[in-house]
Amino acid sequence: MMATTAFEQGTGYNVSSDVNLTSLRRVALKSDGSGLSLASDPTGTVNFLDMVNNLQGDSGRGYYIEMSIGTPGQKLNILVDTGSSNFAVAAAAHQFITHYFNTALSSTYSSTGRTVAVRYTQGNWEGELGIDRVSIPRGPNGTITINIAAILSSDGFFLPGINWQGILGLAYPVLARPDSSVEPFFNSVVKQLGIPDIFSLQMCGAGLSASSTTDTTGGSLIMGGAEPTLYRGSVWYTPIIEEWYYQVEVLKLEVGDQNLNLDCREYNMDKAIVDSGTTLLRLPVNVFNALVEAITRSSLIEEFSSGFWEGTKLACWMKGENPWRFFPKLSIYLRATNTSESFRITILPQLYIQPITDVDGTLDCFRFGVSSSTNGMVIGATVMEGFYVVFDRTQQRLGFALSSCAVSDGVALSEIEGPFSAADVAADCSGGPLKEPLVWMISYALMAVCALALLILLLMLILPCRCGNRNGEITDESSLVRHRIK
């Protein structure tokens, strides 16, 4: 659906500091004039204020919400993932989780007799499809009957240090497995509870160490609309160009004030999506290389190790030293609902140069929150933590506003500006013309891999084996990296 304005105000109601929040709880669901639901439902089905701070976690381990599953209810923490469409929970013991959903103890659980398997960018699982009742203690009031994938085995899906036991896929039915007949969780919520087909996310882990042993309040998942107290300023909208993932159209990227000057279709090959279940900002290989080159040119760091950019090394500074002042801002231009215009979302270095751990109390270490991707651009938690993101499925659009929690030491960690003219980019940047040779590229790549494998096998047969004992050896390549300042 095409709108006629470059951006729309996120709310027709300004919530000031002297607003009586108790009164706000009794305000009926209203529209801001553009279809965005605000405030609360007097029937008690939707009360946005009760949903505030209902998430825990951070970008390193994911953001999760507590749910009660089955009869009697079994409470589990469920990862919020806008990049998949299955609702799946552990239904068997696993070394990295503390408890699981015991289907035998639920009087309302029924198996459909169908098996299901899902593979993610990281990890996979297999199990059986079932149906049961679910409620969300800090979500819409009411109990719903939904499709549940009971996870019986997995590989690389549950990880050390996580505190969740399942995944809530919030994308569209076309991604559901084993097929689109499996109605996703949020579709069932909308249908059975009658709430608007809109949800919004605030993820508040910006600047938090992913190695922290405690889970502080991680944000909010608002089902049914948007909560005005969670963002500042206007909501800027970009069209959802295809309803499978939440696919958007990226027009250009900037590092500081440097435009990467790539064909806009490069940014969208083979798709550009917004995915809360992905930790990093993931970029197509050509885009990633151009971005790293631009950061290197503008950074105040010399002799920067390639391992840092590739995600194999951490960068460390003396404790208390501020590394973020050495790095530029990153900006993504999205097409506006008025397709002749765009707007820009910008993240400060605090969001993509991410604290990980300290070493012996003397060093603070950081990772690069951007990585290369072979399956399109993924706007993950690295970027989403700077914004309040509105998934307006009713009007097929995504909204971005400045998050109220994306602030560190009084400094806002994100920016939004616009509108800008989109006349300097193609009318369609969504990657269509570049997708045709993609199959050929993959074919050539596979042929090259096979040839290389045969060559290695041949060399192994011809050359004698020379082995050395490297037990415990630490070299410059395997240790944490420190960098000098220009």
Side-chain angles (χ1 to χ4, degrees), residues 11 36 107 117 127 140 155 158 183 210 346:
T11 165
L36 182 61
S107 62
D155 180 24
F158 298 112
E183 185 175 75
T346 299

Side-chain angles (χ1 to χ4, degrees), residues 32 38 45 71 112 125 138 204 214 238 255 262 288 290 317 330 348 372 376 427 458:
D32 68 344
L38 303 168
T45 301
T71 308
T112 65
W125 54 259
R138 299 190 63 184
C204 296
T214 59
T238 185
V255 174
L262 299 175
F288 176 79
W317 282 264
L330 302 183
L348 271 63
S372 63
L458 184 61

Side-chain angles (χ1 to χ4, degrees), residues 208-232:
L208 298 180
S209 171
S211 66
S212 172
T213 57
T214 59
D215 281 314
T216 57
T217 296
S220 305
L221 170 61
I222 307 298
M223 298 187 187
E227 171 50 52
T229 61
L230 299 181
Y231 64 89
R232 295 175 286 114

Side-chain angles (χ1 to χ4, degrees), residues 349-401:
Q350 287 90 328
L351 289 175
Y352 74 88
I353 304 297
Q354 300 169 344
I356 293 296
T357 186
D358 60 58
V359 179
D360 297 329
T362 61
L363 296 177
D364 286 330
C365 296
F366 301 80
R367 72 176 175 191
F368 187 42
V370 186
S371 68
S372 63
S373 167
T374 57
N375 55 0
M377 180 184 294
V378 183
I379 300 173
T382 290
V383 176
M384 293 181 71
E385 286 178 341
F387 303 94
Y388 185 68
V389 185
V390 180
F391 295 77
D392 185 351
R393 292 148 53 109
T394 300
Q395 299 201 48
Q396 201 172 335
R397 60 185 184 170
L398 286 189
F400 289 82

Side-chain angles (χ1 to χ4, degrees), residues 83-125:
S84 66
S85 298
N86 282 85
F87 177 64
V89 298
H94 188 282
Q95 61 177 326
F96 296 139
I97 61 175
T98 57
H99 57 289
Y100 61 92
F101 174 52
N102 190 331
T103 58
L105 298 181
S106 174
S107 62
T108 49
Y109 177 82
S110 62
S111 173
T112 65
R114 301 177 69 188
T115 59
V116 58
V118 175
R119 180 174 297 277
Y120 302 91
T121 304
Q122 175 178 283
N124 61 83
W125 54 259

